[in-house]
């Protein structure tokens, strides 16, 4: 596709919009911008699919502002009217869109429009007060917060303010649905006027996205823009992979960052607990590097951390997939992945944080020998070709793990965090979408625990005897009860509980396991036969009663009072007790079935 200049659109853009675009130093449109902007400006609904980093934000902000300006000329916007809504899946992406929009609204000719950012982590009451006092022509929001405000009637009555809505944008629609916002989006759509323009933008087209198109768009024009038919990632992005032994993963990662002189990178980790753990360990191992951490369980500090990383010239941001979509961070030269993401589509979105807007970028994924087939899977499933990369680490493994062991012995809080991170990693791996290739039973968990620098293997059903043999822990024996918390208050509480444990043998606050009651096979069999006989007798009695009523012509008619024996009530009460016990996991489902008699022959 020949790139079109911004000034050469068939329907010319407002001079204020063109002036702002020139500030961004964008002379020509990207393919997705050239395809979608004329359609939205012609008042058509558009469903656009384009690779990550292709300029989708300007593709919807430019026509959004044009449509608002047209309506302004015919009928000026009132303070209580909302003309445009942009819904993003995460607060980071919503904030980024708000920042780009702010650049446009700073122009004097566009300053008549105001915007409001509505995301989680901020006070709902403050959002309500702000909308009531100043209003907003444009809302940039996450779905949960918008739904909350629409359903609050009160003094704001946002549902009435959106009746004049001119355009709705669903940004990263596939991610919105992946995060489980389907019901929320449908609720929001029910409040919006049908006579509106709708733009749906996503990196992938799924069945769920197609269903949303049918529900939220009217006769949409479907636009699919791909830079190359043979790839689903940006042209200037180079994808690499390394095959390393599990216990060597950290050593190779540290060596890679040093040898390749990585300046600004994002390291994707499988869980929030992993981010917490490595954000405490890596600063000790990489003393001259700025290590930042961000994950979904963080609240207000997420925005500050992201801005800090944006402004940094050299830093590593440890993160989860909360930053895998849409977030635009300048000058990220490498995207690093600790292991394969939970689904193949996430791989494309992760690596798309670099090589954005025509810039070059690199990405590396570290795989285990048992995961080598994943490379071919990505090529077939996502049209992503990976090139193998090899390096030679200089630091000894024992030196690195020794430092981590020393850190954990020095603070029990880190010892606890290390175990949580490892357990959460294994749990996440077991739920992998591509579990035919990435099978947990093929992973040497003892070696993985070694890479985490654990002092000992945690107790979990996945850990077998062979894993204990593979595990390389500290060289010297450790008295784990002697590992103290640096926090004096936590350590005092632990010492008090430890004293009680030494006296009673039971750790305070820990539920004492009840011994399973056992009985002879003969007695158990006899009870099951008795229950089966009683049920059969009741069933036969009910059948005879029904047959008698039919013979006497009592079909339907008045309600008959059913007699319930004491024996029936007692058995029903016993069944209810058993049901409660299985819900509280005091007995297994198999034991429940046996007691009820479901497994009786």
């Amino acid at each position: 596709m020949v790139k079109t200049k911004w000034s050469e659109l068939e329907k010319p853009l407002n001079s204020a919009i063109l002036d702002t675009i020139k500030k961004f130093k964008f002379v020509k449109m990207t393919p997705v911008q050239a395809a979608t902007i004329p359609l939205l400006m012609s008042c058509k609904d558009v469903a656009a699919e384009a690779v990550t980093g292709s300029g989708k934000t300007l593709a919807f902000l430019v026509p959004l502002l044009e449509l608002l300006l047209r309506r302004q000329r015919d009928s000026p916007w009132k303070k209580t009217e909302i003309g445009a809504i942009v819904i993003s899946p995460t607060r980071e992406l919503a904030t980024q869109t708000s920042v780009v929009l702010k650049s446009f609204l700073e122009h004097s000719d566009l300053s008549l429009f105001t915007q409001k950012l509505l995301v989680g982590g901020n006070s709902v009451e403050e959002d309500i007060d702000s909308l009531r006092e100043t209003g907003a022509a444009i809302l940039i929001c996450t779905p949960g917060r918008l739904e909350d405000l629409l359903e609050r009637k009160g003094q704001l009555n946002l549902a009435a303010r959106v009746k004049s809505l001119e355009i709705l944008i669903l940004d990263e629609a596939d991610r919105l649905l992946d995060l489980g916002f389907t019901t929320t989006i449908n609720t929001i759509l029910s409040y919006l006027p049908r006579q509106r323009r709708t733009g749906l933008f996503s990196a992938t087209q799924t069945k769920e996205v197609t269903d949303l198109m049918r529900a939220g768009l009217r006769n949409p024009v479907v636009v699919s823009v791909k830079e190359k038919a043979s790839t689903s990632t940006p042209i200037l992005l180079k994808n690499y992979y390394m095959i390393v032994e599990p216990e060597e993963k950290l050593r190779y990662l540290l060596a890679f960052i040093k040898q390749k002189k990585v300046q600004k990178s994002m390291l994707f980790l499988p869980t929030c607990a992993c981010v917490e753990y490595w954000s405490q360990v890596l600063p000790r191992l990489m003393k001259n590097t700025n290590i930042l951490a961000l994950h979904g369980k963080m609240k207000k500090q997420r925005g500050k951390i992201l801005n800090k990383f944006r402004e940094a010239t050299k830093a590593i941001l440890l993160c989860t997939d909360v930053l895998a979509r849409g977030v635009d961070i300048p000058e990220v030269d490498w995207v690093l992945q600790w292991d394969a993401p939970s689904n193949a589509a996430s791989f494309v979105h992760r690596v798309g944080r670099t090589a954005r807007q025509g810039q070059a970028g690199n990405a590396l994924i570290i795989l285990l020998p048992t995961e080598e087939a994943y490379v071919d899977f990505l090529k077939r499933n996502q049209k992503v070709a990976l090139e193998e990369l090899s390096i030679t680490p200089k630091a000894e493994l024992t030196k690195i793990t020794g430092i981590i062991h020393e850190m954990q012995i020095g603070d029990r809080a880190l010892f606890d965090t290390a175990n949580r991170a490892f357990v959460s990693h294994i749990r996440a791996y077991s739920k992998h979408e591509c579990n035919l290739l990435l099978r947990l039973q093929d992973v040497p968990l003892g070696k993985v625990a070694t890479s985490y620098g654990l002092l000992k293997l945690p107790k979990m059903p996945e850990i077998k005897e062979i894993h204990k043999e593979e595990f390389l822990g500290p060289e010297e024996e450790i008295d784990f009860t002697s590992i103290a918390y640096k926090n004096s208050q936590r350590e005092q509480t632990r010492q008090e509980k430890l004293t009680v444990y030494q006296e009673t043998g039971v750790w305070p606050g820990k539920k004492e396991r009840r011994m399973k009651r056992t009985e002879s096979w003969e007695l158990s069999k006899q009870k099951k036969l008795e229950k089966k006989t009683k049920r059969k007798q009741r069933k036969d009695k009910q059948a005879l009663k029904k047959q008698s009523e039919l013979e006497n012509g009592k079909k339907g008619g008045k309600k008959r009072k059913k007699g319930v024996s004491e024996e029936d009530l007692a058995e029903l009460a016993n069944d209810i007790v058993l049901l409660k016990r299985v819900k509280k996991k005091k007995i297994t489902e198999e034991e429940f079935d046996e007691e009820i008699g479901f497994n009786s022959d």
Side-chain angles (χ1 to χ4, degrees), residues 536-564:
K536 190 175 184 306
Q537 287 174 351
R538 282 205 307 270
K539 195 173 181 180
D540 292 343
K541 188 176 179 180
Q542 289 171 356
L544 287 169
K545 189 174 182 180
K546 189 174 182 181
Q547 185 179 357
S548 175
E549 289 173 353
L550 290 172
E551 289 174 354
N552 294 329
K554 295 181 180 179
K555 190 174 182 180
K558 295 181 180 179
K559 292 183 179 179
R560 297 177 298 278
K561 189 175 181 181
K562 295 183 179 179
V564 181

Side-chain angles (χ1 to χ4, degrees), residues 31 189 258 287 341 349 404 407-408 427 488:
L189 292 176
K258 186 175 181 180
K287 293 182 179 179
H349 298 305
I404 302 175
M407 292 176 68
Q408 292 184 50
R427 295 278 191 263
S488 57

Side-chain angles (χ1 to χ4, degrees), residues 125-144:
E125 288 71 24
E126 288 180 7
D127 288 342
I128 292 172
D129 292 341
S130 175
L131 285 170
R132 286 179 57 202
E133 291 174 12
T134 61
I138 307 166
L139 298 183
I140 311 292
C141 51
T142 49

Side-chain angles (χ1 to χ4, degrees), residues 494-553:
R494 188 184 78 88
Q495 289 295 341
E496 290 171 358
K497 290 183 177 181
L498 185 61
T499 302
V500 174
Y501 174 73
Q502 290 170 344
E503 292 174 356
T504 64
V506 178
W507 190 266
K510 197 170 185 179
K511 291 183 179 178
E512 188 177 355
R513 293 183 181 179
R514 292 186 178 182
M515 293 296 291
K516 182 182 174 183
R517 292 182 297 174
T518 58
E519 57 188 14
S520 65
W521 181 86
E522 291 84 1
L523 183 58
S524 177
K525 186 70 173 177
Q526 183 183 348
K527 285 184 177 179
K528 283 192 279 185
L529 286 172
E530 288 175 357
K531 286 184 179 180
K532 187 176 180 181
T533 304
K534 288 176 183 177
R535 282 188 171 81
K536 190 175 184 306
Q537 287 174 351
R538 282 205 307 270
K539 195 173 181 180
D540 292 343
K541 188 176 179 180
Q542 289 171 356
L544 287 169
K545 189 174 182 180
K546 189 174 182 181
Q547 185 179 357
S548 175
E549 289 173 353
L550 290 172
E551 289 174 354
N552 294 329

Side-chain angles (χ1 to χ4, degrees), residues 242 249-267 282 286 289 291 314-316 318 333-334 336 338 364 366 389 391:
M242 281 196 304
K249 186 173 281 192
L250 177 61
R251 187 163 78 107
Y252 271 77
L253 176 65
L254 295 173
F256 171 82
I257 293 171
K258 186 175 181 180
Q259 292 179 23
K260 295 295 180 180
K261 298 180 180 179
V262 176
Q263 296 298 306
K264 193 171 182 179
S265 64
M266 298 174 71
L267 173 58
L282 289 181
M286 305 171 68
T289 305
I291 306 293
K314 183 177 181 180
I316 297 177
L318 313 184
D333 55 344
W334 280 92
L336 310 172
W338 179 265
L364 171 73
I366 306 174
L389 188 148
I391 59 170

Side-chain angles (χ1 to χ4, degrees), residues 271-284:
T271 68
C272 299
C274 292
V275 173
E276 288 285 347
Y277 173 60
W278 290 116
S279 67
Q280 296 177 58
V281 172
L282 289 181
R284 175 78 178 272

